[in-house]
Amino acid sequence: PARKITREEAAAIIDRFLKYMGVNTDGNEISDDRSDIGAWARQHVANVVSIGIMSMDNGDFRAKENITKDECGEIINKLADMLDKN
């Protein structure tokens, strides 16, 4: 629990949570650095990027970088807005 998680791990968690909540997250947007995204995480990343929950920087998802506190805050706000609308 003390280990930081990567952006691709966060994408997988968020995508699974949204599916659990009944939100359709099927997306097809993959970043330019898709070779850096683990095969197991590619669809999760595509899903959360295509619905705007997570973003890319100049076409790069930065999958192996740790997610930051600021990014988590932005994601939580976006999730709250999205779930309020559903």
Side-chain angles (χ1 to χ4, degrees), residues 13-30:
I13 293 167
I14 294 162
D15 188 38
R16 290 175 182 143
F17 169 74
L18 288 171
K19 282 184 173 40
Y20 173 79
M21 296 300 292
V23 177
N24 180 7
T25 62
D26 295 335
N28 58 7
E29 184 173 333
I30 294 287

Side-chain angles (χ1 to χ4, degrees), residues 33-49:
D33 66 343
R34 67 181 146 268
S35 63
D36 290 340
I37 301 169
W40 63 271
R42 285 189 186 128
Q43 191 60 51
H44 296 298
V45 170
N47 293 347
V48 297
V49 169

Side-chain angles (χ1 to χ4, degrees), residues 39-72:
W40 63 271
R42 285 189 186 128
Q43 191 60 51
H44 296 298
V45 170
N47 293 347
V48 297
V49 169
S50 68
I51 62 173
I53 296 295
M54 294 182 79
S55 60
M56 299 183 295
D57 292 329
N58 299 320
D60 292 332
F61 185 71
R62 304 180 342 267
K64 303 298 186 216
E65 291 182 18
N66 291 331
I67 193 162
T68 67
K69 290 178 187 177
D70 289 340
E71 288 173 315
C72 288

